[in-house]
Coordinates of all heavy atoms in Angstrom, one line a residue:
M362 N 214.5 179.9 20.5 CA 214.5 178.7 21.2 C 213.6 178.8 22.5 O 213.8 179.7 23.3 CB 215.9 178.3 21.7 CG 216.8 177.9 20.5 SD 216.4 176.3 19.8 CE 217.6 176.2 18.5
S363 N 212.7 177.9 22.7 CA 211.9 177.9 23.9 C 212.6 177.1 24.9 O 213.1 176.0 24.6 CB 210.5 177.5 23.6 OG 210.5 176.1 23.2
S364 N 212.6 177.5 26.1 CA 213.2 176.8 27.2 C 212.3 175.7 27.6 O 211.1 175.7 27.5 CB 213.5 177.6 28.4 OG 212.4 178.1 29.0
A365 N 212.8 174.6 28.2 CA 212.0 173.5 28.6 C 211.7 173.5 30.1 O 211.5 172.5 30.7 CB 212.7 172.2 28.3
S366 N 211.7 174.8 30.6 CA 211.4 174.9 32.0 C 210.0 174.5 32.3 O 209.1 174.6 31.5 CB 211.7 176.3 32.5 OG 210.8 177.2 31.8
K367 N 209.8 174.0 33.5 CA 208.5 173.6 34.0 C 207.5 174.8 34.1 O 208.0 175.9 34.4 CB 208.6 172.9 35.3 CG 209.3 171.6 35.3 CD 209.4 171.0 36.7 CE 210.2 169.7 36.7 NZ 210.4 169.3 38.1
P368 N 206.3 174.6 33.8 CA 205.3 175.7 34.1 C 205.2 176.0 35.5 O 205.4 175.1 36.4 CB 204.0 175.1 33.6 CG 204.2 173.6 33.6 CD 205.6 173.3 33.4
K369 N 205.0 177.3 35.8 CA 204.9 177.7 37.2 C 203.8 177.1 37.9 O 203.9 176.7 39.1 CB 204.8 179.2 37.3 CG 206.1 179.9 37.2 CD 206.0 181.4 37.5 CE 207.3 182.1 37.7 NZ 207.2 183.5 37.9
H370 N 202.7 177.0 37.3 CA 201.5 176.4 37.9 C 201.2 175.1 37.4 O 200.8 174.9 36.2 CB 200.3 177.4 37.7 CG 200.5 178.7 38.3 ND1 200.5 178.9 39.7 CD2 200.7 179.9 37.7 CE1 200.7 180.2 39.9 NE2 200.9 180.8 38.8
D371 N 201.4 174.1 38.2 CA 201.0 172.7 37.8 C 200.3 172.1 39.0 O 200.0 172.7 40.0 CB 202.2 171.9 37.4 CG 203.3 171.9 38.4 OD1 203.0 172.2 39.6 OD2 204.4 171.4 38.1
L372 N 200.0 170.8 38.9 CA 199.3 170.1 40.0 C 200.1 170.1 41.3 O 199.6 170.0 42.4 CB 199.0 168.7 39.5 CG 197.9 168.6 38.4 CD1 197.7 167.2 38.0 CD2 196.6 169.2 38.8
R373 N 201.5 170.1 41.1 CA 202.3 170.1 42.3 C 202.2 171.3 43.1 O 202.0 171.3 44.3 CB 203.8 169.9 41.9 CG 204.7 169.7 43.1 CD 206.1 169.4 42.6 NE 206.2 168.0 42.1 CZ 206.8 167.8 40.9 NH1 207.5 168.7 40.3 NH2 206.9 166.5 40.5
S374 N 202.1 172.5 42.4 CA 202.0 173.7 43.2 C 200.6 174.0 43.6 O 200.3 174.6 44.6 CB 202.6 174.9 42.3 OG 201.9 175.0 41.1
A375 N 199.6 173.6 42.8 CA 198.2 173.9 43.1 C 197.6 172.9 44.1 O 196.9 173.3 44.9 CB 197.4 173.9 41.8
W376 N 198.0 171.6 43.9 CA 197.3 170.6 44.7 C 198.3 169.7 45.5 O 197.9 168.9 46.3 CB 196.5 169.7 43.8 CG 195.4 170.3 43.2 CD1 195.3 170.9 41.9 CD2 194.0 170.6 43.7 NE1 194.1 171.5 41.7 CE2 193.3 171.3 42.7 CE3 193.5 170.3 44.9 CZ2 192.0 171.7 42.9 CZ3 192.1 170.6 45.1 CH2 191.4 171.3 44.1
G377 N 199.6 170.0 45.3 CA 200.6 169.1 46.0 C 200.6 167.7 45.4 O 200.8 166.7 46.2
K378 N 200.3 167.6 44.2 CA 200.1 166.3 43.6 C 201.0 166.1 42.3 O 201.1 167.1 41.5 CB 198.7 166.0 43.2 CG 197.8 165.7 44.4 CD 196.4 165.5 44.0 CE 195.6 165.2 45.3 NZ 195.8 166.1 46.4
A379 N 201.6 165.0 42.2 CA 202.4 164.7 41.0 C 202.5 163.1 40.9 O 202.3 162.4 41.9 CB 203.7 165.3 41.0
C380 N 202.8 162.7 39.7 CA 203.0 161.2 39.6 C 204.2 160.8 40.3 O 205.3 161.3 40.2 CB 203.1 160.9 38.1 SG 203.4 159.1 37.8
P381 N 204.1 159.8 41.2 CA 205.2 159.3 42.0 C 206.2 158.5 41.2 O 207.3 158.3 41.6 CB 204.6 158.4 43.1 CG 203.3 157.9 42.4 CD 202.8 159.0 41.5
K382 N 205.8 158.2 40.0 CA 206.7 157.3 39.1 C 207.5 158.2 38.2 O 208.7 158.1 38.1 CB 205.8 156.3 38.4 CG 206.7 155.3 37.7 CD 205.7 154.2 37.1 CE 206.6 153.1 36.4 NZ 205.7 152.1 35.7
C383 N 206.8 159.1 37.4 CA 207.5 159.9 36.4 C 207.6 161.4 36.7 O 208.2 162.1 36.1 CB 206.9 159.7 35.1 SG 205.3 160.5 34.8
G384 N 206.9 161.8 37.8 CA 206.9 163.2 38.2 C 206.0 164.1 37.4 O 206.0 165.3 37.6
W385 N 205.2 163.6 36.6 CA 204.2 164.3 35.8 C 203.2 165.1 36.7 O 202.7 164.5 37.6 CB 203.5 163.4 34.8 CG 202.5 164.0 33.9 CD1 201.1 163.8 33.9 CD2 202.7 164.8 32.8 NE1 200.5 164.5 32.9 CE2 201.5 165.1 32.2 CE3 203.9 165.4 32.2 CZ2 201.4 165.9 31.0 CZ3 203.8 166.2 31.1 CH2 202.5 166.4 30.5
A386 N 203.0 166.3 36.4 CA 202.2 167.1 37.3 C 201.3 168.1 36.5 O 200.9 169.1 37.0 CB 203.0 167.9 38.3
E387 N 201.0 167.7 35.3 CA 200.1 168.6 34.5 C 198.7 168.1 34.3 O 197.8 168.9 34.2 CB 200.8 168.8 33.1 CG 202.0 169.8 33.2 CD 202.5 170.1 31.8 OE1 201.7 170.3 30.9 OE2 203.7 170.2 31.7
A388 N 198.6 166.8 34.3 CA 197.2 166.2 34.2 C 197.2 164.8 34.8 O 198.0 164.0 34.4 CB 196.8 166.2 32.8
L389 N 196.3 164.6 35.7 CA 196.1 163.3 36.2 C 194.6 162.9 36.1 O 193.7 163.8 36.2 CB 196.5 163.2 37.7 CG 197.9 163.6 38.0 CD1 198.1 163.7 39.6 CD2 198.8 162.5 37.5
T390 N 194.3 161.7 35.8 CA 192.9 161.3 35.7 C 192.4 160.8 37.1 O 193.0 159.9 37.6 CB 192.8 160.2 34.7 OG1 193.2 160.7 33.4 CG2 191.3 159.7 34.6
V391 N 191.4 161.4 37.6 CA 190.9 161.0 38.9 C 189.5 160.6 38.7 O 188.7 161.2 38.0 CB 190.9 162.2 39.9 CG1 190.3 161.9 41.2 CG2 192.4 162.7 40.1
T392 N 189.2 159.4 39.4 CA 187.8 158.9 39.3 C 187.0 159.7 40.4 O 187.3 159.7 41.6 CB 187.8 157.4 39.6 OG1 188.6 156.8 38.6 CG2 186.3 156.9 39.6
I393 N 185.9 160.3 39.9 CA 185.1 161.1 40.9 C 183.8 160.4 41.1 O 183.4 159.5 40.4 CB 184.7 162.5 40.3 CG1 184.0 162.4 39.0 CG2 186.0 163.3 40.1 CD1 183.4 163.7 38.5
T394 N 183.2 160.7 42.2 CA 181.8 160.2 42.5 C 180.9 161.4 42.4 O 181.3 162.5 42.8 CB 181.7 159.6 43.9 OG1 182.3 160.5 44.9 CG2 182.5 158.3 43.9
C395 N 179.7 161.2 41.9 CA 178.8 162.3 41.7 C 177.4 161.8 42.0 O 177.0 160.7 41.6 CB 178.9 162.8 40.2 SG 177.8 164.1 39.8
S396 N 176.6 162.6 42.6 CA 175.2 162.3 42.9 C 174.4 162.5 41.6 O 174.7 163.5 40.9 CB 174.7 163.1 44.0 OG 175.4 162.8 45.2
A397 N 173.4 161.7 41.4 CA 172.5 161.9 40.3 C 171.1 161.7 40.7 O 170.8 160.8 41.6 CB 172.9 161.0 39.1
L398 N 170.2 162.4 40.2 CA 168.8 162.2 40.5 C 168.2 161.3 39.4 O 168.3 161.5 38.2 CB 168.1 163.6 40.3 CG 166.7 163.8 41.0 CD1 166.8 163.6 42.5 CD2 166.1 165.1 40.6
L399 N 167.6 160.2 40.0 CA 167.0 159.2 39.1 C 165.5 159.5 39.0 O 164.8 159.5 40.0 CB 167.2 157.8 39.6 CG 166.5 156.7 38.8 CD1 167.0 156.6 37.4 CD2 166.7 155.4 39.6
S400 N 165.0 159.7 37.8 CA 163.6 159.8 37.5 C 163.2 158.9 36.4 O 164.0 158.2 35.8 CB 163.3 161.3 37.2 OG 163.8 161.6 35.9
I401 N 162.0 159.0 36.0 CA 161.5 158.2 34.9 C 162.2 158.5 33.6 O 162.2 157.7 32.6 CB 160.0 158.3 34.7 CG1 159.5 159.7 34.5 CG2 159.2 157.7 35.9 CD1 158.1 159.9 34.1
D402 N 162.8 159.7 33.5 CA 163.5 160.1 32.3 C 164.9 159.7 32.3 O 165.7 159.9 31.3 CB 163.5 161.7 32.2 CG 162.0 162.2 31.9 OD1 161.3 161.5 31.2 OD2 161.7 163.3 32.4
G403 N 165.4 159.1 33.4 CA 166.8 158.7 33.5 C 167.5 159.4 34.6 O 166.8 160.0 35.6
T404 N 168.8 159.5 34.6 CA 169.5 160.1 35.6 C 170.0 161.5 35.2 O 170.3 161.7 34.0 CB 170.8 159.3 36.0 OG1 171.5 159.0 34.8 CG2 170.4 158.0 36.7
E405 N 170.0 162.4 36.1 CA 170.5 163.8 35.9 C 171.5 164.1 37.0 O 171.1 164.1 38.2 CB 169.4 164.8 35.8 CG 169.8 166.2 35.5 CD 168.6 167.2 35.4 OE1 167.5 166.7 35.4 OE2 168.9 168.4 35.5
A406 N 172.7 164.4 36.6 CA 173.7 164.7 37.7 C 173.4 166.0 38.4 O 172.9 166.9 37.7 CB 175.1 164.7 37.0
H407 N 173.6 166.0 39.7 CA 173.3 167.2 40.4 C 174.3 167.3 41.6 O 174.9 166.3 42.0 CB 171.9 167.4 40.9 CG 171.5 166.5 42.0 ND1 171.3 167.0 43.3 CD2 171.5 165.1 42.1 CE1 171.0 166.0 44.1 NE2 171.1 164.8 43.4
G408 N 174.5 168.4 42.1 CA 175.3 168.6 43.2 C 176.8 168.6 42.8 O 177.1 168.5 41.6
D409 N 177.7 168.7 43.8 CA 179.1 168.7 43.5 C 179.6 167.3 43.3 O 179.1 166.3 43.9 CB 179.9 169.3 44.7 CG 179.6 170.8 44.7 OD1 179.3 171.4 43.7 OD2 179.7 171.4 45.8
H410 N 180.6 167.2 42.4 CA 181.3 165.9 42.3 C 182.3 165.9 43.4 O 182.8 166.9 43.9 CB 181.9 165.7 40.9 CG 182.9 166.7 40.5 ND1 182.6 167.8 39.7 CD2 184.2 166.8 40.8 CE1 183.7 168.5 39.6 NE2 184.7 167.9 40.2
E411 N 182.7 164.7 43.8 CA 183.6 164.6 44.9 C 184.8 163.6 44.6 O 184.6 162.7 43.8 CB 182.9 164.0 46.1 CG 181.9 165.0 46.7 CD 181.2 164.4 47.9 OE1 181.5 163.3 48.3 OE2 180.3 165.0 48.4
W412 N 185.9 163.9 45.1 CA 187.0 163.0 45.0 C 187.8 163.1 46.3 O 187.8 164.1 47.0 CB 187.9 163.2 43.8 CG 188.5 164.6 43.7 CD1 187.9 165.6 43.1 CD2 189.7 165.0 44.1 NE1 188.7 166.7 43.2 CE2 189.8 166.4 43.8 CE3 190.8 164.4 44.8 CZ2 191.0 167.1 44.1 CZ3 191.9 165.2 45.1 CH2 192.0 166.5 44.8
E413 N 188.4 162.0 46.7 CA 189.1 162.0 48.0 C 190.4 161.2 47.8 O 190.7 160.7 46.7 CB 188.2 161.4 49.0 CG 187.6 160.0 48.6 CD 186.5 159.6 49.5 OE1 185.8 160.5 50.2 OE2 186.2 158.4 49.6
H414 N 191.1 161.1 48.9 CA 192.4 160.4 48.9 C 192.3 159.0 48.4 O 193.3 158.4 48.0 CB 193.1 160.6 50.2 CG 193.6 162.0 50.4 ND1 194.1 162.4 51.6 CD2 193.7 163.1 49.6 CE1 194.5 163.7 51.5 NE2 194.3 164.1 50.3
S415 N 191.2 158.4 48.6 CA 191.1 157.0 48.2 C 190.5 156.8 46.8 O 190.3 155.7 46.4 CB 190.2 156.2 49.2 OG 188.9 156.8 49.3
S416 N 190.3 157.9 46.1 CA 189.8 157.8 44.8 C 190.9 157.3 43.8 O 192.0 157.5 44.0 CB 189.3 159.2 44.2 OG 188.3 159.7 45.0
D417 N 190.4 156.5 42.8 CA 191.4 156.0 41.8 C 192.0 157.2 41.1 O 191.3 158.2 40.7 CB 190.7 155.1 40.8 CG 190.2 153.8 41.5 OD1 190.9 153.4 42.5 OD2 189.3 153.2 41.0
C418 N 193.3 157.1 40.8 CA 194.0 158.1 40.2 C 195.0 157.5 39.2 O 195.6 156.4 39.4 CB 194.8 159.0 41.2 SG 195.5 160.5 40.5
C419 N 195.1 158.1 38.0 CA 196.0 157.5 37.0 C 196.8 158.7 36.3 O 196.3 159.7 36.0 CB 195.1 156.8 35.9 SG 196.0 156.2 34.5
C420 N 198.0 158.4 36.1 CA 198.9 159.4 35.4 C 198.6 159.4 33.9 O 198.7 158.4 33.3 CB 200.4 159.0 35.7 SG 201.5 160.1 34.8
D421 N 198.4 160.6 33.4 CA 198.1 160.7 32.0 C 199.4 160.6 31.1 O 199.3 160.3 29.9 CB 197.5 162.1 31.7 CG 196.0 162.1 31.9 OD1 195.5 161.2 32.5 OD2 195.4 163.1 31.4
K422 N 200.5 160.6 31.8 CA 201.8 160.6 31.1 C 202.3 159.1 30.9 O 202.6 158.7 29.8 CB 202.8 161.4 31.8 CG 204.2 161.5 31.1 CD 204.2 162.6 30.1 CE 205.7 162.8 29.7 NZ 205.8 163.9 28.7
C423 N 202.4 158.4 32.1 CA 203.0 157.1 32.0 C 202.0 156.0 32.3 O 202.3 154.8 32.2 CB 204.2 157.0 33.0 SG 203.7 156.9 34.7
G424 N 200.8 156.4 32.7 CA 199.8 155.4 32.9 C 199.9 154.7 34.3 O 199.2 153.8 34.6
H425 N 200.7 155.3 35.2 CA 200.8 154.8 36.6 C 199.5 154.8 37.3 O 198.8 155.9 37.3 CB 201.9 155.5 37.3 CG 202.0 155.1 38.8 ND1 202.6 153.9 39.1 CD2 201.7 155.6 39.9 CE1 202.7 153.7 40.4 NE2 202.1 154.8 40.9
N426 N 199.1 153.7 37.8 CA 197.8 153.6 38.5 C 197.9 153.6 40.0 O 198.9 153.0 40.5 CB 197.0 152.4 38.1 CG 196.0 152.7 36.9 OD1 195.1 153.4 37.1 ND2 196.3 152.1 35.8
G427 N 197.0 154.3 40.7 CA 197.0 154.2 42.2 C 195.8 155.0 42.7 O 194.8 155.1 42.0
V428 N 195.9 155.4 43.9 CA 194.9 156.3 44.5 C 195.5 157.7 44.7 O 196.7 157.8 44.6 CB 194.3 155.7 45.8 CG1 193.6 154.4 45.5 CG2 195.4 155.5 46.8
V429 N 194.6 158.6 44.9 CA 195.0 160.0 45.0 C 196.1 160.2 46.0 O 197.1 160.9 45.7 CB 193.8 160.9 45.3 CG1 194.3 162.4 45.6 CG2 192.8 161.0 44.1
S430 N 196.0 159.5 47.1 CA 197.0 159.7 48.2 C 198.4 159.2 47.7 O 199.4 159.7 48.2 CB 196.6 159.0 49.5 OG 196.5 157.6 49.2
D431 N 198.5 158.3 46.7 CA 199.7 157.9 46.2 C 200.4 159.0 45.4 O 201.6 159.0 45.2 CB 199.6 156.7 45.3 CG 199.1 155.5 46.0 OD1 199.3 155.3 47.2 OD2 198.5 154.6 45.4
F432 N 199.6 160.0 45.0 CA 200.1 161.0 44.1 C 200.5 162.3 44.9 O 200.8 163.3 44.3 CB 199.1 161.3 43.0 CG 199.1 160.3 41.9 CD1 198.5 159.0 42.2 CD2 199.6 160.5 40.7 CE1 198.4 158.0 41.2 CE2 199.6 159.5 39.7 CZ 199.0 158.3 40.0
L433 N 200.3 162.2 46.2 CA 200.6 163.4 47.0 C 202.1 163.6 47.1 O 202.9 162.6 47.4 CB 200.1 163.2 48.5 CG 198.6 163.6 48.7 CD1 198.2 163.2 50.1 CD2 198.5 165.1 48.5
V434 N 202.6 164.7 46.9 CA 204.0 165.1 47.1 C 204.1 166.3 47.9 O 203.2 167.2 47.9 CB 204.7 165.3 45.7 CG1 204.8 164.0 45.0 CG2 204.1 166.4 44.9
S435 N 205.1 166.4 48.7 CA 205.3 167.7 49.4 C 206.1 168.6 48.5 O 206.8 168.2 47.6 CB 206.1 167.4 50.7 OG 207.4 167.0 50.4
E436 N 205.9 169.9 48.6 CA 206.5 170.9 47.8 C 208.0 170.8 47.7 O 208.7 171.0 46.7 CB 206.1 172.3 48.2 CG 204.7 172.6 48.0 CD 204.5 173.8 47.1 OE1 205.4 174.1 46.3 OE2 203.4 174.4 47.1
S437 N 208.6 170.4 48.9 CA 210.1 170.4 48.9 C 210.6 169.1 48.4 O 211.8 169.0 48.1 CB 210.5 170.5 50.4 OG 209.9 169.5 51.2
E438 N 209.8 168.1 48.2 CA 210.2 166.8 47.7 C 210.1 166.7 46.2 O 209.0 166.6 45.6 CB 209.3 165.7 48.3 CG 209.7 164.3 48.0 CD 208.8 163.3 48.6 OE1 208.2 163.6 49.7 OE2 208.7 162.2 48.1
E439 N 211.2 166.9 45.5 CA 211.3 166.8 44.1 C 211.2 165.3 43.6 O 211.9 164.5 44.2 CB 212.5 167.4 43.6 CG 212.4 169.0 43.5 CD 211.4 169.4 42.4 OE1 211.5 168.8 41.3 OE2 210.6 170.3 42.6
V440 N 210.4 165.1 42.6 CA 210.3 163.8 42.1 C 211.1 163.8 40.7 O 210.8 164.5 39.8 CB 208.9 163.3 41.8 CG1 208.9 161.9 41.2 CG2 208.1 163.3 43.1
S441 N 212.1 163.0 40.7 CA 212.9 163.0 39.5 C 212.2 162.3 38.3 O 211.7 161.2 38.6 CB 214.3 162.4 39.7 OG 215.0 163.0 40.8
P442 N 212.2 162.9 37.2 CA 211.6 162.2 36.0 C 212.3 160.9 35.7 O 213.5 160.8 35.9 CB 211.8 163.2 34.9 CG 212.1 164.5 35.5 CD 212.8 164.2 36.8
Ligands
ZN577 ZN1 203.5 159.1 35.5

């Protein structure tokens, strides 16, 4: 029997992020911005991609939509599923 315990490393421990609605902390979809070089051949992404607290964020589990800052949780603050 495998236990249903939470993984030690999830978004809550790594980034302090979890879904405020369902508590999901394994995968969140974040909209990133990325620079691209436009040439006659088209665009080629370069540089680092960026995301910030105002970036769109979506829970992969329940589909809750918001911005990254909405998904911030403190380590001591448990979000009940
Ligand atoms: Zn959720």
Side-chain angles (χ1 to χ4, degrees):
M362 291 288 178
S363 63
S364 70
S366 62
K367 292 178 185 175
K369 273 189 173 179
H370 298 289
D371 58 11
L372 294 176
R373 184 176 291 136
S374 60
W376 294 94
K378 288 176 177 49
C380 175
K382 192 173 182 184
C383 73
W385 182 246
E387 286 186 36
L389 299 170
T390 299
V391 177
T392 301
I393 61 169
T394 50
C395 179
S396 299
L398 198 65
L399 173 64
S400 70
I401 56 173
D402 294 325
T404 51
E405 184 182 345
H407 75 112
D409 290 332
H410 61 262
E411 293 178 4
W412 55 274
E413 52 195 22
H414 285 171
S415 60
S416 298
D417 289 334
C418 191
C419 177
C420 173
D421 275 14
K422 183 87 167 179
C423 74
H425 179 71
N426 264 297
V428 294
V429 171
S430 60
D431 293 336
F432 287 73
L433 271 175
V434 293
S435 66
E436 290 239 23
S437 56
E438 187 182 331
E439 277 292 315
V440 179
S441 301

